[in-house]
Amino acid sequence: MSKPDDFTEETWPRLREAMETGGPTSVAELIAGFEDAKQRRQLAFFAHRAFSGRDWRGKTLDALAEVTRLGMDEMLAQASSAESEDDRVRFIDLANVMSYNLSADLADCWPGDEIPRTREHFEQGLASAERCLEWRRELGKGPGPFSMAWWAKGIHELSLGRADDALASFEESQRHAVEGAEAEGQATTIDANGHWSVLLAEGYVALAAARQGAEGADARLDRCLEAIGAAIQAQPDEAGNLGFCRDQLEVVRGQA
């Protein structure tokens, strides 16, 4: 019997053909044709990751968003008919993860990503982030997942020109990032010792404040970026994460 990864990889050519010839609905119909509920979950989750990260003919964010929403519908349908509470929670959590990932896909902040975004994409991303936050409250998630979800909300509010809302969301993201770092015994200072999540959150708070025109916000962002640069040298094991944080902050700063 194929392992889950083997199974999804073996099915990828059929999923891609369905998308290229019939669009997201055809992908959902292909997945629905599998009688085994576990296989449908595997394929729905895999489909988002594959269509997000791989090349396929006619690739668009709109098609990615639709196929992801259809996959989430599969997860929620299985949750509603789950035989145990543990299964119900697990299936909702899969939809929660997909909702966050879709919101991140639609965000306009990724280094090297030149796919054009529209206002509708940001509105869809915001809705996905808000849905994700609702599920994380229902599921009782910890500070790390909440920091990520508040960031997702804030980045789309920023792209929509809602700097006040974005600042509030990024401050919530920062609060949860600090809480999570403290729980793990990590430094929460904005310097070479700071945890990457705290430094990233500080950068986004400064970005939103700068969009508001707040005095000193640009200097605050400069200090944050300097701290990230120092942290890259001081924390070699986290250099990759820290460098990615710095690069996305630079991308968003360049959009102002």
Side-chain angles (χ1 to χ4, degrees):
M1 181 176 179
S2 296
K3 297 178 182 179
D5 285 348
D6 292 337
F7 164 66
T8 53
E9 286 296 343
E10 289 167 1
T11 312
W12 166 241
R14 295 173 61 193
L15 293 170
R16 183 180 59 214
E17 181 182 11
M19 178 68 94
E20 291 175 347
T21 58
T25 301
S26 293
V27 175
E29 289 172 350
L30 172 60
I31 293 173
F34 286 80
E35 293 185 6
D36 186 279
K38 180 178 179 180
Q39 290 183 329
R40 295 199 302 275
R41 291 196 305 276
Q42 290 172 341
L43 288 173
F45 198 83
F46 170 80
H48 168 265
R49 290 190 291 112
F51 285 117
S52 172
R54 304 183 186 187
D55 291 329
W56 40 280
R57 190 172 67 251
K59 183 173 183 175
T60 66
L61 288 172
D62 294 326
L64 172 62
E66 181 63 16
V67 79
T68 305
R69 283 191 290 267
L70 291 170
M72 290 163 58
D73 288 345
E74 174 66 35
M75 302 302 186
L76 296 177
Q78 292 198 28
S80 67
S81 60
E83 296 181 356
S84 71
E85 177 63 11
D86 285 348
D87 281 345
R88 187 188 75 83
V89 168
R90 186 159 56 90
F91 302 159
I92 290 175
D93 198 20
L94 289 170
N96 158 56
V97 172
M98 292 174 71
S99 188
Y100 170 79
N101 289 341
L102 175 59
S103 186
D105 284 333
L106 294 171
D108 191 15
C109 63
W110 306 119
D113 181 355
E114 298 181 357
I115 298 175
R117 268 78 169 170
T118 66
R119 186 175 184 85
E120 183 178 7
H121 291 138
F122 302 139
E123 290 170 346
Q124 291 175 355
L126 177 58
S128 291
E130 290 173 336
R131 196 175 191 188
C132 167
L133 276 166
E134 291 174 2
W135 278 326
R136 292 181 186 201
R137 294 186 188 102
E138 177 184 345
L139 296 167
K141 291 292 184 178
F146 271 106
S147 180
M148 294 166 64
W150 279 109
W151 165 83
K153 185 171 184 286
I155 192 63
H156 290 292
E157 289 167 336
L158 197 67
S159 293
L160 288 166
R162 294 165 48 180
D164 291 350
D165 293 335
L167 179 59
S169 293
F170 289 143
E171 288 175 339
E172 278 294 302
S173 177
Q174 184 178 45
R175 181 174 69 84
H176 286 289
V178 168
E179 181 183 342
E182 289 176 339
E184 295 177 6
Q186 303 287 340
T188 61
T189 47
I190 309 303
D191 57 25
N193 299 313
H195 190 262
W196 67 264
S197 64
V198 176
L199 294 171
L200 180 65
E202 169 70 9
Y204 273 108
V205 168
L207 278 167
R211 295 282 179 92
Q212 285 182 318
E215 184 177 352
D218 284 327
R220 182 177 179 178
L221 180 57
D222 285 337
R223 288 193 298 273
C224 178
L225 290 168
E226 289 172 4
I228 292 175
I232 289 172
Q233 300 302 316
Q235 303 179 50
D237 290 345
E238 292 292 345
N241 282 333
L242 288 159
F244 188 61
C245 292
R246 177 196 58 200
D247 291 348
Q248 67 172 276
L249 290 171
E250 293 282 16
V251 167
V252 178
R253 181 182 222 179
Q255 297 167 348

